[in-house]
Amino acid sequence: MLLVEKKAPLLLQTMIAGLLAASLLLLAFNMHQSGASGGLAAMLALAAVAITVLLLRMPGEKRAVAGIPDREAEVRLLQEQALQAELQALKAQIQPHFLFNALNRVNASLPAEQEAARELIAQLADTFRYALNSTRTDLVPLGQELSFLRDYLRIEQHRFSSRLHVEIDAAASVQSMRIPPMLLQPLVENAVKHGIGPCIDGGAITIRCTRHKNKLRCTVSDTGAGFCGPLDQIMLGSGVGLRNTALRLEKLYNTPLQVERNSGGGLQFMFDIPIQP
């Protein structure tokens, strides 16, 4: 016995699954290429897998047919291969609004009593949108980067609750200055994952951006677990976020990513870049 699915429902389900997965995977790839840390890219890839599995497990109309000729089986195989090739081609042309529309539809379907979940999905959509747009430009206003970091940290605060405290200090006079997109995010993610994450009582993360002489000084510090080894070895770990940030600063501005230990525990990362209005 072979199972034959009616073409329309199967095609629709497969197309939706392929488009959603392609959107998320393309966004994850673009984020990785832009030098962002692996946490967000991995989250996107996992979301792609989860959405694909859920959609493909939606009930399709099936009927059993016995004794299908080999010729018909070959035709069906060729049709499936053609569909897969078409979906692969769509990966290079997919419109990002499809992903955001899908998230908006999920958001709209939640009942009013789940307002916290609706806010989380909205923040997730904003985070994805900024991450995608950041791959299309070389510089963004510091204010946009900080707004993205607020959304990202609000998502993390849903996970850590009262264990994570955040402070962002940037005067209005520096927020129009332009920096490479996703330059601060790997430092913040490192502080969350390796600084605050291992601590039972949590801790605080401070992002501070100030004008220092003729440069913009950015500092990301935490009161977390710190680093037990020599600080000059911290870039040699398995993670790529810190290493990529250090390489971007070196190549773009010939400036180092500095790291030091906080007196009360945790680490502080700092860099200076030329002011670009």
Side-chain angles (χ1 to χ4, degrees), residues 186-226:
L187 305 181
V188 175
E189 182 175 324
N190 182 78
V192 172
K193 182 177 180 180
H194 299 291
I196 307 304
C199 297
I200 295 176
D201 296 327
I205 293 175
T206 301
I207 303 168
R208 183 168 285 110
C209 302
T210 60
R211 184 169 188 146
H212 181 71
K213 297 181 180 178
N214 62 336
K215 293 187 176 182
L216 174 66
R217 171 165 291 181
C218 297
T219 304
V220 176
S221 61
D222 68 81
T223 61

Side-chain angles (χ1 to χ4, degrees), residues 14-276:
T14 307
M15 287 291 290
I16 291 175
L19 288 169
L20 274 172
S23 299
L24 290 166
L25 289 173
L26 181 61
L27 181 53
F29 175 78
N30 287 336
M31 287 175 57
H32 178 73
Q33 290 293 99
S34 71
S37 58
L40 281 175
M43 183 169 62
L44 290 172
L46 287 174
V49 173
I51 290 174
T52 303
V53 171
L54 286 174
L55 285 171
L56 290 181
R57 292 187 65 183
M58 289 170 58
E61 299 182 30
K62 300 181 180 180
R63 59 186 177 88
V65 177
I68 298 179
D70 290 343
R71 178 61 180 167
E72 186 175 344
E74 291 177 2
V75 171
R76 289 184 60 238
L77 179 60
L78 290 174
Q79 289 175 337
E80 291 175 2
Q81 290 175 342
L83 178 59
Q84 290 301 318
E86 182 180 354
L87 291 175
Q88 291 294 328
L90 283 172
K91 288 182 181 180
Q93 305 172 21
I94 191 71
Q95 295 298 318
H97 71 263
F98 185 90
L99 169 63
F100 302 127
N101 287 345
L103 288 172
N104 289 335
R105 288 190 183 112
V106 172
N107 205 350
S109 68
L110 292 175
E113 57 268 22
Q114 294 190 15
E115 183 61 26
R118 295 173 66 174
E119 290 181 1
L120 182 60
I121 291 174
Q123 290 160 2
L124 186 63
D126 289 341
T127 301
F128 287 170
R129 184 177 290 106
Y130 180 86
L132 177 63
N133 290 338
S134 71
T135 66
R136 300 171 176 172
T137 185
D138 294 328
L139 296 170
V140 297
L142 174 63
Q144 287 186 16
E145 182 88 351
L146 294 178
S147 178
F148 159 72
L149 289 174
R150 287 188 184 94
D151 286 334
Y152 168 71
L153 286 168
R154 286 191 191 106
I155 295 172
E156 292 290 2
Q157 283 178 315
H158 279 278
R159 181 162 64 103
F160 286 91
S161 187
S162 60
R163 294 176 55 222
L164 176 59
H165 303 276
V166 175
E167 179 186 356
I168 298 179
D169 179 13
S173 59
V174 301
Q175 297 207 24
S176 61
M177 297 177 184
R178 300 169 70 80
I179 69 170
M182 303 294 285
L183 189 64
L184 288 166
Q185 190 276 334
L187 305 181
V188 175
E189 182 175 324
N190 182 78
V192 172
K193 182 177 180 180
H194 299 291
I196 307 304
C199 297
I200 295 176
D201 296 327
I205 293 175
T206 301
I207 303 168
R208 183 168 285 110
C209 302
T210 60
R211 184 169 188 146
H212 181 71
K213 297 181 180 178
N214 62 336
K215 293 187 176 182
L216 174 66
R217 171 165 291 181
C218 297
T219 304
V220 176
S221 61
D222 68 81
T223 61
F227 182 72
C228 59
L231 290 182
D232 59 0
Q233 301 294 309
I234 199 169
M235 307 293 180
L236 304 179
S238 58
V240 299
L242 293 180
R243 187 164 59 251
N244 281 355
T245 300
L247 287 173
R248 290 177 75 192
L249 288 169
E250 179 183 345
K251 291 180 178 180
L252 291 172
Y253 303 110
N254 194 29
T255 190
L257 175 61
Q258 303 174 50
V259 56
E260 60 185 36
R261 290 186 170 92
N262 290 328
S263 58
L267 296 174
Q268 174 177 285
F269 290 88
M270 184 181 71
F271 61 83
D272 294 337
I273 60 175
I275 291 177
Q276 302 186 61

